[in-house]
Amino acid sequence: MPESVTTTGATPPGDPAPSGGSDETKATGATIELENLTKRYPGAADAAVDSVNMEIKAGELVIFVGPSGCGKSTTLKMINRLIEPTGGRIRIGGEDVTDMDSVKLRRKIGYAIQSSGLFPHMTVAQNIALVPRMVGWSKSKIKGRVEEMLDLVGLDPGEFRGRYPRQLSGGQQQRVGVARALAADPPVLLMDEPFGAVDPITRDHLQDELIRLQHELHKTIVFVTHDFDEAIKLGDRIAVLREHSHIAQFDTPEAILTNPADDFVSGFVGAGAALKRLNLTRVRDVEIRDYPTVTVDDPLQDIFDKLRSGKVNEILLLDKRGRPYKWLRRGDMMRARGSLARAGTLVHDTVTRDATLRDALEAVLTDNAGRVAVTGRRGAYEGVVDMQTLMNSVHELLEADRLDAMEHQHELEEQRHAQTLQAQEGGGTGEVPR
Amino acid sequence: MNFWEYLGSRHQQLLTDAYQHASAVFQCMVVATVIGVLIGVATYRSDWAGSVATTATSTILTIPSLAMIGLLIPIVGLGVAPTVVALTLYGLLPIVRNSIVGLRGVDSTLVDAARGIGMSRTAQLLRVELPLAWPPILTGIRVATQMLMGIAAIAAFASGPGLGNEIFRGIASLGSKNALNQVLAGTLGIVVLALLFDAAYVLIGRLTIPRGIRA
């Protein structure tokens, strides 16, 4: 394993936590390096976690994904030393934390678990205030921080501060769990299947929230899940792990989808990689077609003329604020005897530029004419996406991914080649190759 | 002299006895609670130590109270000392057992979470495990108190304090005019005290069990 130098702006965990709110521009994440990290339980023949080497950049969201029992949770828990490693080193922000006081270490690492782990005998505010209190923040600072954290995770402080965990829904509990993990502003956040116990709709919301949070905070997040779709949706990079926490592939979601390293990974990716790829691309990334439009304020004659001009047999009618309102076909106006109120079919579905291609495809498939209007700010019309555009873009995407993957592989091979050469030369001078 | 006349004429003595009875039980309960919870905290993590503690305390409970006090007299003498020692020993079992059960019953994910956010071992115990185990521990204390109320009456056998004196005096003078009144007054006094203590525990439960885990 070559040692590489981390250059990204890292906050060593020893730094005092920035005071709440005012330092939002700071890159708050820290690098995590795992070197030959091993966990061997006494009496067991094989190591539960066998020599994991991994480098996680500051501000990166990395997902550990793998079948149950593969050691992904154990690996995660070794980062904050809830499970003490039996071998290897852990470095956070460049500082070796393998031997530091584990209690102090954990106060600098946020920790969120499945089913929230909130203490039922404490109020929401008390739960969130725990870590700041332990590291000795002043009362007034903690009070402000609790409000800020509740705001951050989308809960109204006035309403939720004084509640007990059992008075919250599963999703709300999970939000508070994340707020508690982030309260003392740790550079690193560990999440152990945090959304495993909530219903699919809530999980979807929580995932969106996490993406938004990460956009604001730029923490280094390590997230464990067994749900590959969740991994694709959230991860900057995904580590697919097999037994004994061996890394089968550690790469971007795109690369894993289009170029799985081996059968194990492709088996884990499952069928429909191309469909999953749609989740990774936004409507803003594909070509949006212009479409002839008229507004309800246009004189009727203009609308007739446009329809009769023959170039198109359908136009989009926008309302007074420029939002898509109705699809008008050539015959519609005649049938409705020139009344705009009665003519045409209402636009029932639109997508924003931030929607995923999967959402767009869904809308296109349900639309009877196979197209969907794209809207921008305040729902204003921006263009149209149809089946043809989607197909073309997906083909282009997959092609580009394949090229990237090939290039990547090529680079890796070259690197490996260089290493072998070096090792051979090094071996000649009596050095032990790494 | 009927019972009410008897109460009227002896209320001074009865109140003193009742006060001493209550005070003996209360003080022994405080000591038994402290020792019992400490034993619970020390043993709940190990299967082996936990069962040793429970077995030892339940063995104590099987010794008849009269015999226990009788056995204690040669060691600690007459009066208050054997009473306190016997009551404290009898009070231990329910408290030790409920402490162990309560502490073991705390959701392990919560202990994991407490460690994970950086609580020290002591903080985990004081801020998470004991508060969550408090309702069963309090139940143990309540059961122990009820039991001690009755056992404390036997203390009079070793010239200890309390309403037991009233009962023993009545039994010793069976056939005399006031014998029945004395036994009745002592017994009813103990029942009333037990009910008052129980009411106090309900109040303590209201005040000390956090709203988030109150049933």
Side-chain angles (χ1 to χ4, degrees):
Chain A
M1 190 77 201
E3 217 145 50
S4 63
V5 186
T6 37
T7 48
T8 7
T11 317
D15 272 8
S19 61
S22 52
D23 316 66
E24 269 166 11
T25 47
K26 227 175 178 175
T28 45
T31 56
I32 303 175
E33 291 157 81
L34 310 180
E35 191 189 308
N36 295 323
L37 199 62
T38 303
K39 176 69 188 179
R40 195 179 289 278
Y41 286 104
D46 295 320
V49 173
D50 185 20
S51 195
V52 174
N53 285 287
M54 189 177 275
E55 221 171 275
I56 296 166
K57 297 191 207 88
E60 196 176 27
L61 204 168
V62 166
I63 314 266
F64 290 177
V65 67
S68 12
C70 71
K72 51 190 191 298
S73 245
T74 311
T75 311
L76 182 88
K77 284 179 180 169
M78 281 198 281
I79 297 177
N80 67 357
R81 292 183 35 230
L82 272 178
I83 295 177
E84 286 289 348
T86 44
R89 312 302 299 172
I90 309 155
R91 272 186 291 275
I92 295 180
E95 187 191 351
D96 192 326
V97 298
T98 328
D99 297 316
M100 85 178 269
D101 178 11
S102 61
V103 168
K104 282 198 184 119
L105 169 70
R106 289 184 206 127
R107 288 182 188 166
K108 287 162 192 157
I109 298 180
Y111 184 55
I113 58 173
Q114 190 171 3
S115 65
S116 85
L118 294 181
F119 301 127
H121 59 296
M122 300 182 191
T123 61
V124 164
Q126 287 168 335
N127 264 293
I128 297 176
L130 276 171
V131 189
R133 270 175 61 182
M134 286 191 287
V135 296
W137 289 18
S138 70
K139 273 214 169 108
S140 56
K141 191 173 160 193
I142 292 175
K143 196 157 175 273
R145 185 66 176 171
V146 168
E147 313 258 302
E148 192 191 332
M149 293 319 293
L150 280 173
D151 258 340
L152 185 73
V153 296
L155 296 173
D156 174 28
E159 194 185 340
F160 288 96
R161 195 171 28 207
R163 289 214 197 169
Y164 283 94
R166 69 166 175 194
Q167 295 165 311
L168 306 178
S169 71
Q172 288 165 344
Q173 287 185 16
Q174 208 54 62
R175 283 162 198 258
V176 178
V178 172
R180 181 176 72 180
L182 289 171
D185 208 9
V188 172
L189 177 59
L190 306 180
M191 307 182 89
D192 194 354
E193 299 208 28
F195 309 147
V198 293
D199 63 272
I201 296 170
T202 312
R203 189 181 314 149
D204 221 47
H205 278 299
L206 290 171
Q207 289 166 348
D208 291 339
E209 288 279 295
L210 183 63
I211 295 173
R212 182 183 60 78
L213 272 181
Q214 176 62 350
H215 222 75
E216 277 177 43
L217 301 175
H218 306 290
K219 302 282 178 193
T220 306
I221 302 181
V222 185
F223 187 110
V224 164
T225 181
H226 57 257
D227 178 355
F228 193 71
D229 291 320
E230 184 167 69
I232 294 179
K233 181 166 176 187
L234 296 176
D236 292 327
R237 282 197 294 167
I238 300 175
V240 184
L241 304 178
R242 62 171 117 222
E243 296 78 53
H244 314 304
S245 218
H246 285 155
I247 301 173
Q249 190 168 9
F250 184 30
D251 216 328
T252 59
E254 289 86 348
I256 289 180
L257 281 176
T258 47
N259 192 38
D262 55 22
D263 288 349
F264 176 81
V265 177
S266 52
F268 209 81
V269 169
L275 266 180
K276 284 174 184 163
R277 184 69 181 79
L278 291 179
N279 272 332
L280 293 173
T281 314
R282 310 266 154 187
V283 171
R284 69 165 84 251
D285 303 328
V286 303
E287 176 204 0
I288 297 174
R289 279 206 305 145
D290 251 347
Y291 212 76
T293 58
V294 289
T295 71
V296 283
D297 293 334
D298 285 346
L300 273 180
Q301 195 55 48
D302 288 4
I303 301 178
F304 269 118
D305 289 347
K306 261 201 178 159
L307 277 171
R308 276 205 205 107
S309 64
K311 271 178 233 152
V312 288
N313 51 19
E314 195 174 41
I315 56 174
L316 183 61
L317 180 63
L318 306 179
D319 69 6
K320 285 195 177 98
R321 291 183 184 167
R323 295 178 299 200
Y325 174 45
K326 272 177 176 181
W327 297 103
L328 285 179
R329 278 168 188 274
R330 207 172 275 168
D332 285 345
M333 290 301 280
M334 308 294 260
R335 272 195 290 277
R337 302 211 177 85
S339 152
L340 272 181
R342 269 180 284 166
T345 42
L346 280 173
V347 173
H348 53 77
D349 208 359
T350 60
V351 293
T352 64
R353 282 182 169 256
D354 287 326
T356 62
L357 282 196
R358 196 192 175 101
D359 294 337
L361 180 67
E362 172 83 27
V364 167
L365 286 175
T366 46
D367 188 271
N368 48 16
R371 71 267 185 277
V372 64
V374 179
T375 56
R377 285 169 63 95
R378 299 204 183 87
Y381 165 83
E382 293 207 338
V384 165
V385 167
D386 62 14
M387 203 61 190
Q388 198 57 47
T389 336
L390 279 179
M391 270 172 59
N392 291 344
S393 341
V394 170
H395 283 152
E396 276 167 31
L397 281 170
L398 290 177
E399 197 52 43
D401 284 350
R402 217 163 291 151
L403 285 175
D404 277 354
M406 272 163 66
E407 212 166 292
H408 187 66
Q409 211 161 18
H410 187 66
E411 268 171 32
L412 273 180
E413 259 160 38
E414 269 186 357
Q415 224 171 20
R416 224 169 285 154
H417 184 64
Q419 262 173 52
T420 326
L421 271 180
Q422 229 173 13
Q424 280 165 351
E425 281 162 16
T429 60
E431 254 178 66
V432 183
R434 304 193 56 161
Chain B
M1 206 190 308
N2 71 19
F3 181 60
W4 299 112
E5 285 164 359
Y6 175 80
L7 282 190
S9 65
R10 301 287 174 86
H11 71 273
Q12 200 61 49
Q13 176 65 35
L14 285 172
L15 283 179
T16 311
D17 278 343
Y19 169 75
Q20 286 181 345
H21 198 97
S23 136
V25 168
F26 175 75
Q27 292 177 42
C28 292
M29 276 314 299
V30 171
V31 178
T33 303
V34 172
I35 298 176
V37 172
L38 283 180
I39 293 177
V41 165
T43 57
Y44 79 104
R45 278 169 178 262
S46 130
D47 280 347
W48 173 85
S51 41
V52 167
T54 327
T55 319
T57 46
S58 50
T59 312
I60 294 175
L61 203 64
T62 57
I63 303 172
S65 41
L66 202 58
M68 165 82 89
I69 288 174
L71 288 171
L72 282 171
I73 291 172
I75 306 172
V76 293
L78 286 171
V80 176
T83 315
V84 170
V85 174
L87 289 188
T88 307
L89 285 177
Y90 281 120
L92 281 181
L93 171 71
I95 300 174
V96 168
R97 195 176 44 203
N98 281 30
S99 303
I100 293 178
V101 169
L103 286 168
R104 283 187 181 163
V106 174
D107 189 348
S108 62
T109 58
L110 292 181
V111 183
D112 201 46
R115 281 182 71 208
I117 64 169
M119 282 194 189
S120 64
R121 184 69 200 95
T122 327
Q124 284 167 45
L125 193 66
L126 295 181
R127 309 216 43 203
V128 178
E129 291 177 280
L130 279 177
L132 289 176
W134 179 238
I137 294 177
L138 190 63
T139 310
I141 295 174
R142 204 166 148 184
V143 171
T145 309
Q146 304 275 335
M147 216 169 64
L148 290 202
M149 277 294 168
I151 293 174
I154 312 292
F157 175 74
S159 340
L163 288 164
N165 286 312
E166 207 60 25
I167 299 173
F168 271 96
R169 241 177 275 141
I171 293 173
S173 59
L174 271 184
S176 77
K177 231 179 2 178
N178 274 333
L180 189 64
N181 284 340
Q182 283 176 324
V183 176
L184 203 58
T187 313
L188 286 180
I190 291 173
V191 170
V192 170
L193 278 186
L195 291 176
L196 286 176
F197 266 71
D198 220 39
Y201 280 122
V202 173
L203 192 69
I204 291 175
R206 283 260 143 216
L207 293 176
T208 57
I209 298 177
R211 219 154 33 93
I213 55 172
R214 214 177 284 159

